[in-house]
Amino acid sequence: MSGVRVANAPLSYGAFEMTVGTSFPVPDPEQVLAAIGGAGYAGTDLGPPGYLGEGEALSRRLEEHALEVVGGFVPMRFSERDHWDEGLAGLHHTLDLFAAAGAAGARPVLCDAGGPERIANPGRGGEDPSLRLDAARWSTLVEGVARAADAARERGFDPVFHHHTSTYVEGVAEIERLLADSDVALLLDSGHIAVAGGDAVEALADWGERIGAIHIKDVRLGVLAEVKAERADTLTAWRRGLFCALGDGDVDLDGFCGALGHAGYEGWVVVEQDRVLEDGEAFGDASAEQTRNRDWLREHAGW
């Protein structure tokens, strides 16, 4: 019997760091939790700290929808020492929310926050050496990751590091460099590795012993090619539907799920479909797609 459990995340419904607090339509958190629970997911990521609520309100909402918190996204400007304190404050807020939710096993998801040149060039980190950090800033990044990881561990939480589009740990070479320079487990994302020019099945084979968590998503590589050709930015890529419903894109998700099963992976698989809602009515479409995603995993992976 599979030990995989399936979760979703508020960003699949248009609520994440680039939309919450902006002019983009953002659904009410109660709507999001009801949709996640109603679609049959067992857990959720936090989304931006505080979005789902604080303290007892967060705990009550999760209980009402029979959901567990499985992780929380913690972007930090690791290569810029002057911004560490701000990032660590965000980390501790996330850990406070884990504690309020009684989520002792939740994983803080450390992620580099990138910089203007990376945000302006999604997917190019794996192919353009000029976009990479120099030796000094890379050393600072590694030190910053270690500092954040230690802070999480001191409070009893086991961190993972999320390679991500438009950050300084995006391309395969950058991921491998971080794995060599850090002891933090990797969160492998089937979509972001594809955007960076990698392959999720190969990554699982190459880095299997270092992988501590999984995000599953699909990617339309045709959209990626258009975005690169136009030199469009990250938000434009999201708005054009770079990440699509499972099975509708170009990632070998059947192979990836099969490889996870063969490797004996046990733990959470978080469905993420990074998206921006252009209007309030788009929430219904997002909810329907997340139900489809849950059904796809039952049919194709047996989870």
Side-chain angles (χ1 to χ4, degrees), residues 214-254:
I214 297 293
H215 284 180
I216 190 164
K217 56 168 63 76
D218 210 343
V219 177
R220 294 187 177 103
L221 294 181
V223 173
L224 178 63
E226 292 174 1
V227 167
K228 284 184 174 183
E230 296 173 19
R231 294 282 180 168
D233 63 12
T234 302
L235 188 58
T236 300
W238 268 229
R239 296 179 75 174
R240 290 188 183 177
L242 174 65
F243 298 112
C244 57
L246 302 183
D248 285 357
D250 298 294
V251 177
D252 179 12
L253 292 180
D254 284 299

PDB file of all heavy atoms in Angstrom, residues 214-254:
ATOM      1  N   ILE A 214       8.244  16.485  -2.383  1.00  0.00           N
ATOM      2  CA  ILE A 214       7.878  16.493  -3.809  1.00  0.00           C
ATOM      3  C   ILE A 214       6.753  17.493  -4.061  1.00  0.00           C
ATOM      4  O   ILE A 214       5.731  17.501  -3.365  1.00  0.00           O
ATOM      5  CB  ILE A 214       7.406  15.092  -4.260  1.00  0.00           C
ATOM      6  CG1 ILE A 214       8.520  14.062  -4.136  1.00  0.00           C
ATOM      7  CG2 ILE A 214       6.864  15.142  -5.694  1.00  0.00           C
ATOM      8  CD1 ILE A 214       9.687  14.246  -5.076  1.00  0.00           C
ATOM      9  N   HIS A 215       6.941  18.324  -5.085  1.00  0.00           N
ATOM     10  CA  HIS A 215       5.855  19.098  -5.680  1.00  0.00           C
ATOM     11  C   HIS A 215       5.634  18.558  -7.082  1.00  0.00           C
ATOM     12  O   HIS A 215       6.600  18.334  -7.817  1.00  0.00           O
ATOM     13  CB  HIS A 215       6.197  20.586  -5.764  1.00  0.00           C
ATOM     14  CG  HIS A 215       6.104  21.307  -4.461  1.00  0.00           C
ATOM     15  ND1 HIS A 215       6.369  22.654  -4.350  1.00  0.00           N
ATOM     16  CD2 HIS A 215       5.762  20.877  -3.218  1.00  0.00           C
ATOM     17  CE1 HIS A 215       6.202  23.029  -3.084  1.00  0.00           C
ATOM     18  NE2 HIS A 215       5.835  21.962  -2.380  1.00  0.00           N
ATOM     19  N   ILE A 216       4.387  18.368  -7.437  1.00  0.00           N
ATOM     20  CA  ILE A 216       4.089  17.844  -8.767  1.00  0.00           C
ATOM     21  C   ILE A 216       3.279  18.873  -9.548  1.00  0.00           C
ATOM     22  O   ILE A 216       2.297  19.427  -9.055  1.00  0.00           O
ATOM     23  CB  ILE A 216       3.354  16.485  -8.691  1.00  0.00           C
ATOM     24  CG1 ILE A 216       3.261  15.843 -10.065  1.00  0.00           C
ATOM     25  CG2 ILE A 216       1.995  16.589  -8.010  1.00  0.00           C
ATOM     26  CD1 ILE A 216       2.898  14.369 -10.025  1.00  0.00           C
ATOM     27  N   LYS A 217       3.748  19.159 -10.752  1.00  0.00           N
ATOM     28  CA  LYS A 217       3.041  20.082 -11.638  1.00  0.00           C
ATOM     29  C   LYS A 217       3.412  19.757 -13.073  1.00  0.00           C
ATOM     30  O   LYS A 217       4.392  19.050 -13.333  1.00  0.00           O
ATOM     31  CB  LYS A 217       3.351  21.543 -11.308  1.00  0.00           C
ATOM     32  CG  LYS A 217       4.819  21.920 -11.315  1.00  0.00           C
ATOM     33  CD  LYS A 217       4.996  23.440 -11.276  1.00  0.00           C
ATOM     34  CE  LYS A 217       4.455  24.098 -10.037  1.00  0.00           C
ATOM     35  NZ  LYS A 217       5.331  23.898  -8.849  1.00  0.00           N
ATOM     36  N   ASP A 218       2.624  20.273 -13.996  1.00  0.00           N
ATOM     37  CA  ASP A 218       2.871  20.067 -15.419  1.00  0.00           C
ATOM     38  C   ASP A 218       3.172  21.413 -16.066  1.00  0.00           C
ATOM     39  O   ASP A 218       2.803  22.468 -15.547  1.00  0.00           O
ATOM     40  CB  ASP A 218       1.653  19.410 -16.078  1.00  0.00           C
ATOM     41  CG  ASP A 218       2.020  18.542 -17.267  1.00  0.00           C
ATOM     42  OD1 ASP A 218       3.138  18.686 -17.784  1.00  0.00           O
ATOM     43  OD2 ASP A 218       1.172  17.713 -17.679  1.00  0.00           O
ATOM     44  N   VAL A 219       3.839  21.365 -17.216  1.00  0.00           N
ATOM     45  CA  VAL A 219       4.338  22.569 -17.874  1.00  0.00           C
ATOM     46  C   VAL A 219       4.051  22.517 -19.368  1.00  0.00           C
ATOM     47  O   VAL A 219       4.251  21.480 -20.003  1.00  0.00           O
ATOM     48  CB  VAL A 219       5.868  22.707 -17.683  1.00  0.00           C
ATOM     49  CG1 VAL A 219       6.401  23.916 -18.433  1.00  0.00           C
ATOM     50  CG2 VAL A 219       6.220  22.792 -16.210  1.00  0.00           C
ATOM     51  N   ARG A 220       3.609  23.640 -19.902  1.00  0.00           N
ATOM     52  CA  ARG A 220       3.489  23.778 -21.353  1.00  0.00           C
ATOM     53  C   ARG A 220       4.786  24.396 -21.875  1.00  0.00           C
ATOM     54  O   ARG A 220       5.023  25.599 -21.710  1.00  0.00           O
ATOM     55  CB  ARG A 220       2.303  24.659 -21.715  1.00  0.00           C
ATOM     56  CG  ARG A 220       0.929  24.073 -21.348  1.00  0.00           C
ATOM     57  CD  ARG A 220      -0.170  24.956 -21.908  1.00  0.00           C
ATOM     58  NE  ARG A 220      -1.500  24.427 -21.649  1.00  0.00           N
ATOM     59  CZ  ARG A 220      -2.323  24.888 -20.704  1.00  0.00           C
ATOM     60  NH1 ARG A 220      -1.933  25.895 -19.927  1.00  0.00           N
ATOM     61  NH2 ARG A 220      -3.517  24.365 -20.538  1.00  0.00           N
ATOM     62  N   LEU A 221       5.605  23.569 -22.507  1.00  0.00           N
ATOM     63  CA  LEU A 221       6.900  24.068 -22.971  1.00  0.00           C
ATOM     64  C   LEU A 221       6.740  25.063 -24.124  1.00  0.00           C
ATOM     65  O   LEU A 221       7.619  25.901 -24.346  1.00  0.00           O
ATOM     66  CB  LEU A 221       7.783  22.896 -23.389  1.00  0.00           C
ATOM     67  CG  LEU A 221       8.203  21.969 -22.238  1.00  0.00           C
ATOM     68  CD1 LEU A 221       9.097  20.854 -22.756  1.00  0.00           C
ATOM     69  CD2 LEU A 221       8.903  22.744 -21.122  1.00  0.00           C
ATOM     70  N   GLY A 222       5.636  24.989 -24.852  1.00  0.00           N
ATOM     71  CA  GLY A 222       5.382  25.970 -25.897  1.00  0.00           C
ATOM     72  C   GLY A 222       5.206  27.361 -25.320  1.00  0.00           C
ATOM     73  O   GLY A 222       5.686  28.354 -25.889  1.00  0.00           O
ATOM     74  N   VAL A 223       4.509  27.462 -24.193  1.00  0.00           N
ATOM     75  CA  VAL A 223       4.357  28.749 -23.518  1.00  0.00           C
ATOM     76  C   VAL A 223       5.719  29.246 -23.041  1.00  0.00           C
ATOM     77  O   VAL A 223       6.044  30.428 -23.176  1.00  0.00           O
ATOM     78  CB  VAL A 223       3.375  28.635 -22.337  1.00  0.00           C
ATOM     79  CG1 VAL A 223       3.346  29.940 -21.528  1.00  0.00           C
ATOM     80  CG2 VAL A 223       1.978  28.280 -22.829  1.00  0.00           C
ATOM     81  N   LEU A 224       6.527  28.337 -22.503  1.00  0.00           N
ATOM     82  CA  LEU A 224       7.863  28.713 -22.052  1.00  0.00           C
ATOM     83  C   LEU A 224       8.693  29.271 -23.209  1.00  0.00           C
ATOM     84  O   LEU A 224       9.378  30.285 -23.062  1.00  0.00           O
ATOM     85  CB  LEU A 224       8.576  27.505 -21.439  1.00  0.00           C
ATOM     86  CG  LEU A 224      10.010  27.734 -20.968  1.00  0.00           C
ATOM     87  CD1 LEU A 224      10.050  28.768 -19.848  1.00  0.00           C
ATOM     88  CD2 LEU A 224      10.637  26.419 -20.520  1.00  0.00           C
ATOM     89  N   ALA A 225       8.626  28.624 -24.363  1.00  0.00           N
ATOM     90  CA  ALA A 225       9.385  29.099 -25.526  1.00  0.00           C
ATOM     91  C   ALA A 225       8.942  30.498 -25.931  1.00  0.00           C
ATOM     92  O   ALA A 225       9.780  31.358 -26.270  1.00  0.00           O
ATOM     93  CB  ALA A 225       9.213  28.127 -26.684  1.00  0.00           C
ATOM     94  N   GLU A 226       7.635  30.763 -25.891  1.00  0.00           N
ATOM     95  CA  GLU A 226       7.128  32.094 -26.241  1.00  0.00           C
ATOM     96  C   GLU A 226       7.625  33.141 -25.250  1.00  0.00           C
ATOM     97  O   GLU A 226       8.038  34.240 -25.644  1.00  0.00           O
ATOM     98  CB  GLU A 226       5.603  32.079 -26.253  1.00  0.00           C
ATOM     99  CG  GLU A 226       4.987  31.248 -27.374  1.00  0.00           C
ATOM    100  CD  GLU A 226       3.478  31.149 -27.234  1.00  0.00           C
ATOM    101  OE1 GLU A 226       2.942  31.748 -26.271  1.00  0.00           O
ATOM    102  OE2 GLU A 226       2.838  30.483 -28.064  1.00  0.00           O
ATOM    103  N   VAL A 227       7.571  32.795 -23.973  1.00  0.00           N
ATOM    104  CA  VAL A 227       8.001  33.727 -22.933  1.00  0.00           C
ATOM    105  C   VAL A 227       9.482  34.060 -23.092  1.00  0.00           C
ATOM    106  O   VAL A 227       9.896  35.222 -22.999  1.00  0.00           O
ATOM    107  CB  VAL A 227       7.716  33.131 -21.541  1.00  0.00           C
ATOM    108  CG1 VAL A 227       8.419  33.918 -20.443  1.00  0.00           C
ATOM    109  CG2 VAL A 227       6.216  33.090 -21.277  1.00  0.00           C
ATOM    110  N   LYS A 228      10.288  33.041 -23.360  1.00  0.00           N
ATOM    111  CA  LYS A 228      11.722  33.276 -23.548  1.00  0.00           C
ATOM    112  C   LYS A 228      11.972  34.139 -24.789  1.00  0.00           C
ATOM    113  O   LYS A 228      12.795  35.071 -24.750  1.00  0.00           O
ATOM    114  CB  LYS A 228      12.458  31.943 -23.692  1.00  0.00           C
ATOM    115  CG  LYS A 228      12.647  31.176 -22.394  1.00  0.00           C
ATOM    116  CD  LYS A 228      13.465  29.928 -22.674  1.00  0.00           C
ATOM    117  CE  LYS A 228      13.816  29.185 -21.416  1.00  0.00           C
ATOM    118  NZ  LYS A 228      14.670  28.003 -21.699  1.00  0.00           N
ATOM    119  N   ALA A 229      11.283  33.829 -25.877  1.00  0.00           N
ATOM    120  CA  ALA A 229      11.496  34.573 -27.124  1.00  0.00           C
ATOM    121  C   ALA A 229      11.143  36.045 -26.964  1.00  0.00           C
ATOM    122  O   ALA A 229      11.796  36.917 -27.551  1.00  0.00           O
ATOM    123  CB  ALA A 229      10.675  33.947 -28.248  1.00  0.00           C
ATOM    124  N   GLU A 230      10.118  36.313 -26.156  1.00  0.00           N
ATOM    125  CA  GLU A 230       9.668  37.692 -25.962  1.00  0.00           C
ATOM    126  C   GLU A 230      10.389  38.390 -24.815  1.00  0.00           C
ATOM    127  O   GLU A 230      10.148  39.571 -24.565  1.00  0.00           O
ATOM    128  CB  GLU A 230       8.159  37.700 -25.690  1.00  0.00           C
ATOM    129  CG  GLU A 230       7.318  37.197 -26.838  1.00  0.00           C
ATOM    130  CD  GLU A 230       5.853  37.073 -26.455  1.00  0.00           C
ATOM    131  OE1 GLU A 230       5.452  37.703 -25.439  1.00  0.00           O
ATOM    132  OE2 GLU A 230       5.117  36.354 -27.142  1.00  0.00           O
ATOM    133  N   ARG A 231      11.240  37.651 -24.113  1.00  0.00           N
ATOM    134  CA  ARG A 231      11.894  38.183 -22.914  1.00  0.00           C
ATOM    135  C   ARG A 231      10.855  38.674 -21.910  1.00  0.00           C
ATOM    136  O   ARG A 231      11.028  39.698 -21.236  1.00  0.00           O
ATOM    137  CB  ARG A 231      12.847  39.324 -23.267  1.00  0.00           C
ATOM    138  CG  ARG A 231      14.032  38.884 -24.109  1.00  0.00           C
ATOM    139  CD  ARG A 231      15.078  38.204 -23.248  1.00  0.00           C
ATOM    140  NE  ARG A 231      16.224  37.767 -24.024  1.00  0.00           N
ATOM    141  CZ  ARG A 231      17.369  37.353 -23.506  1.00  0.00           C
ATOM    142  NH1 ARG A 231      17.514  37.296 -22.192  1.00  0.00           N
ATOM    143  NH2 ARG A 231      18.366  36.955 -24.265  1.00  0.00           N
ATOM    144  N   ALA A 232       9.774  37.915 -21.796  1.00  0.00           N
ATOM    145  CA  ALA A 232       8.714  38.260 -20.844  1.00  0.00           C
ATOM    146  C   ALA A 232       9.124  37.826 -19.439  1.00  0.00           C
ATOM    147  O   ALA A 232       9.961  36.945 -19.258  1.00  0.00           O
ATOM    148  CB  ALA A 232       7.408  37.582 -21.249  1.00  0.00           C
ATOM    149  N   ASP A 233       8.512  38.442 -18.425  1.00  0.00           N
ATOM    150  CA  ASP A 233       8.922  38.169 -17.052  1.00  0.00           C
ATOM    151  C   ASP A 233       8.126  37.017 -16.440  1.00  0.00           C
ATOM    152  O   ASP A 233       7.243  36.428 -17.074  1.00  0.00           O
ATOM    153  CB  ASP A 233       8.807  39.423 -16.190  1.00  0.00           C
ATOM    154  CG  ASP A 233       7.380  39.946 -16.071  1.00  0.00           C
ATOM    155  OD1 ASP A 233       6.425  39.233 -16.464  1.00  0.00           O
ATOM    156  OD2 ASP A 233       7.212  41.075 -15.583  1.00  0.00           O
ATOM    157  N   THR A 234       8.450  36.725 -15.189  1.00  0.00           N
ATOM    158  CA  THR A 234       7.861  35.571 -14.509  1.00  0.00           C
ATOM    159  C   THR A 234       6.351  35.688 -14.382  1.00  0.00           C
ATOM    160  O   THR A 234       5.618  34.724 -14.640  1.00  0.00           O
ATOM    161  CB  THR A 234       8.484  35.427 -13.107  1.00  0.00           C
ATOM    162  OG1 THR A 234       9.910  35.288 -13.250  1.00  0.00           O
ATOM    163  CG2 THR A 234       7.937  34.209 -12.394  1.00  0.00           C
ATOM    164  N   LEU A 235       5.864  36.844 -13.981  1.00  0.00           N
ATOM    165  CA  LEU A 235       4.428  36.999 -13.795  1.00  0.00           C
ATOM    166  C   LEU A 235       3.680  36.801 -15.104  1.00  0.00           C
ATOM    167  O   LEU A 235       2.600  36.200 -15.129  1.00  0.00           O
ATOM    168  CB  LEU A 235       4.125  38.384 -13.210  1.00  0.00           C
ATOM    169  CG  LEU A 235       2.675  38.633 -12.781  1.00  0.00           C
ATOM    170  CD1 LEU A 235       2.233  37.610 -11.749  1.00  0.00           C
ATOM    171  CD2 LEU A 235       2.520  40.051 -12.240  1.00  0.00           C
ATOM    172  N   THR A 236       4.256  37.262 -16.209  1.00  0.00           N
ATOM    173  CA  THR A 236       3.638  37.037 -17.517  1.00  0.00           C
ATOM    174  C   THR A 236       3.545  35.543 -17.819  1.00  0.00           C
ATOM    175  O   THR A 236       2.524  35.067 -18.344  1.00  0.00           O
ATOM    176  CB  THR A 236       4.440  37.753 -18.617  1.00  0.00           C
ATOM    177  OG1 THR A 236       4.463  39.151 -18.356  1.00  0.00           O
ATOM    178  CG2 THR A 236       3.836  37.500 -19.993  1.00  0.00           C
ATOM    179  N   ALA A 237       4.590  34.796 -17.506  1.00  0.00           N
ATOM    180  CA  ALA A 237       4.577  33.352 -17.730  1.00  0.00           C
ATOM    181  C   ALA A 237       3.454  32.689 -16.948  1.00  0.00           C
ATOM    182  O   ALA A 237       2.737  31.814 -17.464  1.00  0.00           O
ATOM    183  CB  ALA A 237       5.925  32.755 -17.337  1.00  0.00           C
ATOM    184  N   TRP A 238       3.292  33.107 -15.691  1.00  0.00           N
ATOM    185  CA  TRP A 238       2.219  32.536 -14.849  1.00  0.00           C
ATOM    186  C   TRP A 238       0.852  32.867 -15.461  1.00  0.00           C
ATOM    187  O   TRP A 238      -0.029  32.026 -15.517  1.00  0.00           O
ATOM    188  CB  TRP A 238       2.308  33.131 -13.450  1.00  0.00           C
ATOM    189  CG  TRP A 238       3.132  32.406 -12.424  1.00  0.00           C
ATOM    190  CD1 TRP A 238       2.745  32.092 -11.147  1.00  0.00           C
ATOM    191  CD2 TRP A 238       4.474  31.929 -12.538  1.00  0.00           C
ATOM    192  NE1 TRP A 238       3.789  31.469 -10.477  1.00  0.00           N
ATOM    193  CE2 TRP A 238       4.851  31.358 -11.303  1.00  0.00           C
ATOM    194  CE3 TRP A 238       5.410  31.949 -13.566  1.00  0.00           C
ATOM    195  CZ2 TRP A 238       6.103  30.796 -11.084  1.00  0.00           C
ATOM    196  CZ3 TRP A 238       6.663  31.397 -13.353  1.00  0.00           C
ATOM    197  CH2 TRP A 238       6.983  30.826 -12.124  1.00  0.00           C
ATOM    198  N   ARG A 239       0.682  34.109 -15.885  1.00  0.00           N
ATOM    199  CA  ARG A 239      -0.616  34.552 -16.399  1.00  0.00           C
ATOM    200  C   ARG A 239      -0.965  33.850 -17.707  1.00  0.00           C
ATOM    201  O   ARG A 239      -2.152  33.686 -18.030  1.00  0.00           O
ATOM    202  CB  ARG A 239      -0.626  36.071 -16.596  1.00  0.00           C
ATOM    203  CG  ARG A 239      -0.468  36.846 -15.305  1.00  0.00           C
ATOM    204  CD  ARG A 239      -0.451  38.343 -15.523  1.00  0.00           C
ATOM    205  NE  ARG A 239      -1.771  38.866 -15.815  1.00  0.00           N
ATOM    206  CZ  ARG A 239      -2.035  40.168 -15.926  1.00  0.00           C
ATOM    207  NH1 ARG A 239      -1.053  41.052 -15.790  1.00  0.00           N
ATOM    208  NH2 ARG A 239      -3.249  40.587 -16.187  1.00  0.00           N
ATOM    209  N   ARG A 240       0.039  33.445 -18.470  1.00  0.00           N
ATOM    210  CA  ARG A 240      -0.225  32.770 -19.745  1.00  0.00           C
ATOM    211  C   ARG A 240      -0.456  31.264 -19.584  1.00  0.00           C
ATOM    212  O   ARG A 240      -0.651  30.560 -20.571  1.00  0.00           O
ATOM    213  CB  ARG A 240       0.940  33.014 -20.704  1.00  0.00           C
ATOM    214  CG  ARG A 240       1.007  34.439 -21.189  1.00  0.00           C
ATOM    215  CD  ARG A 240       2.050  34.595 -22.276  1.00  0.00           C
ATOM    216  NE  ARG A 240       2.177  35.982 -22.701  1.00  0.00           N
ATOM    217  CZ  ARG A 240       3.051  36.405 -23.604  1.00  0.00           C
ATOM    218  NH1 ARG A 240       3.878  35.526 -24.183  1.00  0.00           N
ATOM    219  NH2 ARG A 240       3.112  37.672 -23.933  1.00  0.00           N
ATOM    220  N   GLY A 241      -0.414  30.786 -18.370  1.00  0.00           N
ATOM    221  CA  GLY A 241      -0.694  29.370 -18.149  1.00  0.00           C
ATOM    222  C   GLY A 241       0.492  28.464 -18.386  1.00  0.00           C
ATOM    223  O   GLY A 241       0.337  27.348 -18.885  1.00  0.00           O
ATOM    224  N   LEU A 242       1.687  28.937 -18.017  1.00  0.00           N
ATOM    225  CA  LEU A 242       2.874  28.077 -18.132  1.00  0.00           C
ATOM    226  C   LEU A 242       2.651  26.756 -17.418  1.00  0.00           C
ATOM    227  O   LEU A 242       2.987  25.694 -17.932  1.00  0.00           O
ATOM    228  CB  LEU A 242       4.083  28.808 -17.546  1.00  0.00           C
ATOM    229  CG  LEU A 242       5.393  28.012 -17.456  1.00  0.00           C
ATOM    230  CD1 LEU A 242       5.904  27.661 -18.846  1.00  0.00           C
ATOM    231  CD2 LEU A 242       6.448  28.803 -16.683  1.00  0.00           C
ATOM    232  N   PHE A 243       2.070  26.825 -16.228  1.00  0.00           N
ATOM    233  CA  PHE A 243       1.753  25.616 -15.470  1.00  0.00           C
ATOM    234  C   PHE A 243       0.283  25.280 -15.687  1.00  0.00           C
ATOM    235  O   PHE A 243      -0.595  26.120 -15.506  1.00  0.00           O
ATOM    236  CB  PHE A 243       2.054  25.819 -13.986  1.00  0.00           C
ATOM    237  CG  PHE A 243       3.516  26.092 -13.723  1.00  0.00           C
ATOM    238  CD1 PHE A 243       3.935  27.329 -13.284  1.00  0.00           C
ATOM    239  CD2 PHE A 243       4.456  25.114 -13.951  1.00  0.00           C
ATOM    240  CE1 PHE A 243       5.276  27.583 -13.047  1.00  0.00           C
ATOM    241  CE2 PHE A 243       5.810  25.357 -13.731  1.00  0.00           C
ATOM    242  CZ  PHE A 243       6.220  26.592 -13.282  1.00  0.00           C
ATOM    243  N   CYS A 244       0.051  24.045 -16.077  1.00  0.00           N
ATOM    244  CA  CYS A 244      -1.291  23.631 -16.498  1.00  0.00           C
ATOM    245  C   CYS A 244      -1.750  22.427 -15.692  1.00  0.00           C
ATOM    246  O   CYS A 244      -1.023  21.907 -14.836  1.00  0.00           O
ATOM    247  CB  CYS A 244      -1.283  23.293 -17.993  1.00  0.00           C
ATOM    248  SG  CYS A 244      -0.084  22.012 -18.440  1.00  0.00           S
ATOM    249  N   ALA A 245      -2.963  21.965 -15.964  1.00  0.00           N
ATOM    250  CA  ALA A 245      -3.491  20.792 -15.273  1.00  0.00           C
ATOM    251  C   ALA A 245      -2.618  19.568 -15.550  1.00  0.00           C
ATOM    252  O   ALA A 245      -2.016  19.442 -16.628  1.00  0.00           O
ATOM    253  CB  ALA A 245      -4.927  20.529 -15.717  1.00  0.00           C
ATOM    254  N   LEU A 246      -2.543  18.666 -14.590  1.00  0.00           N
ATOM    255  CA  LEU A 246      -1.730  17.468 -14.735  1.00  0.00           C
ATOM    256  C   LEU A 246      -2.174  16.676 -15.964  1.00  0.00           C
ATOM    257  O   LEU A 246      -3.370  16.413 -16.153  1.00  0.00           O
ATOM    258  CB  LEU A 246      -1.835  16.599 -13.485  1.00  0.00           C
ATOM    259  CG  LEU A 246      -1.423  17.249 -12.161  1.00  0.00           C
ATOM    260  CD1 LEU A 246      -1.513  16.233 -11.016  1.00  0.00           C
ATOM    261  CD2 LEU A 246      -0.020  17.839 -12.238  1.00  0.00           C
ATOM    262  N   GLY A 247      -1.218  16.299 -16.783  1.00  0.00           N
ATOM    263  CA  GLY A 247      -1.515  15.539 -17.991  1.00  0.00           C
ATOM    264  C   GLY A 247      -1.775  16.379 -19.215  1.00  0.00           C
ATOM    265  O   GLY A 247      -1.844  15.846 -20.325  1.00  0.00           O
ATOM    266  N   ASP A 248      -1.891  17.706 -19.037  1.00  0.00           N
ATOM    267  CA  ASP A 248      -2.163  18.587 -20.172  1.00  0.00           C
ATOM    268  C   ASP A 248      -0.889  19.208 -20.746  1.00  0.00           C
ATOM    269  O   ASP A 248      -0.949  19.908 -21.752  1.00  0.00           O
ATOM    270  CB  ASP A 248      -3.102  19.727 -19.756  1.00  0.00           C
ATOM    271  CG  ASP A 248      -4.539  19.266 -19.591  1.00  0.00           C
ATOM    272  OD1 ASP A 248      -4.814  18.078 -19.860  1.00  0.00           O
ATOM    273  OD2 ASP A 248      -5.381  20.093 -19.177  1.00  0.00           O
ATOM    274  N   GLY A 249       0.248  18.967 -20.103  1.00  0.00           N
ATOM    275  CA  GLY A 249       1.488  19.584 -20.535  1.00  0.00           C
ATOM    276  C   GLY A 249       2.498  18.591 -21.066  1.00  0.00           C
ATOM    277  O   GLY A 249       2.135  17.516 -21.554  1.00  0.00           O
ATOM    278  N   ASP A 250       3.776  18.935 -20.931  1.00  0.00           N
ATOM    279  CA  ASP A 250       4.844  18.180 -21.576  1.00  0.00           C
ATOM    280  C   ASP A 250       5.734  17.406 -20.611  1.00  0.00           C
ATOM    281  O   ASP A 250       6.692  16.764 -21.042  1.00  0.00           O
ATOM    282  CB  ASP A 250       5.713  19.149 -22.391  1.00  0.00           C
ATOM    283  CG  ASP A 250       4.915  19.832 -23.486  1.00  0.00           C
ATOM    284  OD1 ASP A 250       4.483  19.129 -24.418  1.00  0.00           O
ATOM    285  OD2 ASP A 250       4.701  21.057 -23.400  1.00  0.00           O
ATOM    286  N   VAL A 251       5.453  17.455 -19.317  1.00  0.00           N
ATOM    287  CA  VAL A 251       6.232  16.696 -18.350  1.00  0.00           C
ATOM    288  C   VAL A 251       5.790  15.240 -18.365  1.00  0.00           C
ATOM    289  O   VAL A 251       4.590  14.944 -18.447  1.00  0.00           O
ATOM    290  CB  VAL A 251       6.064  17.288 -16.930  1.00  0.00           C
ATOM    291  CG1 VAL A 251       6.828  16.451 -15.903  1.00  0.00           C
ATOM    292  CG2 VAL A 251       6.541  18.733 -16.897  1.00  0.00           C
ATOM    293  N   ASP A 252       6.744  14.324 -18.267  1.00  0.00           N
ATOM    294  CA  ASP A 252       6.435  12.892 -18.214  1.00  0.00           C
ATOM    295  C   ASP A 252       5.985  12.543 -16.802  1.00  0.00           C
ATOM    296  O   ASP A 252       6.729  11.954 -16.010  1.00  0.00           O
ATOM    297  CB  ASP A 252       7.666  12.070 -18.615  1.00  0.00           C
ATOM    298  CG  ASP A 252       7.410  10.568 -18.546  1.00  0.00           C
ATOM    299  OD1 ASP A 252       6.233  10.150 -18.409  1.00  0.00           O
ATOM    300  OD2 ASP A 252       8.396   9.800 -18.595  1.00  0.00           O
ATOM    301  N   LEU A 253       4.752  12.903 -16.495  1.00  0.00           N
ATOM    302  CA  LEU A 253       4.264  12.692 -15.134  1.00  0.00           C
ATOM    303  C   LEU A 253       3.989  11.223 -14.839  1.00  0.00           C
ATOM    304  O   LEU A 253       4.161  10.770 -13.699  1.00  0.00           O
ATOM    305  CB  LEU A 253       3.003  13.526 -14.896  1.00  0.00           C
ATOM    306  CG  LEU A 253       3.218  15.037 -14.858  1.00  0.00           C
ATOM    307  CD1 LEU A 253       1.901  15.753 -14.621  1.00  0.00           C
ATOM    308  CD2 LEU A 253       4.227  15.424 -13.780  1.00  0.00           C
ATOM    309  N   ASP A 254       3.563  10.466 -15.843  1.00  0.00           N
ATOM    310  CA  ASP A 254       3.389   9.031 -15.615  1.00  0.00           C
ATOM    311  C   ASP A 254       4.727   8.396 -15.239  1.00  0.00           C
ATOM    312  O   ASP A 254       4.811   7.596 -14.299  1.00  0.00           O
ATOM    313  CB  ASP A 254       2.813   8.356 -16.857  1.00  0.00           C
ATOM    314  CG  ASP A 254       1.329   8.621 -17.035  1.00  0.00           C
ATOM    315  OD1 ASP A 254       0.552   8.232 -16.148  1.00  0.00           O
ATOM    316  OD2 ASP A 254       0.951   9.221 -18.055  1.00  0.00           O
TER     317      ASP A 254
END
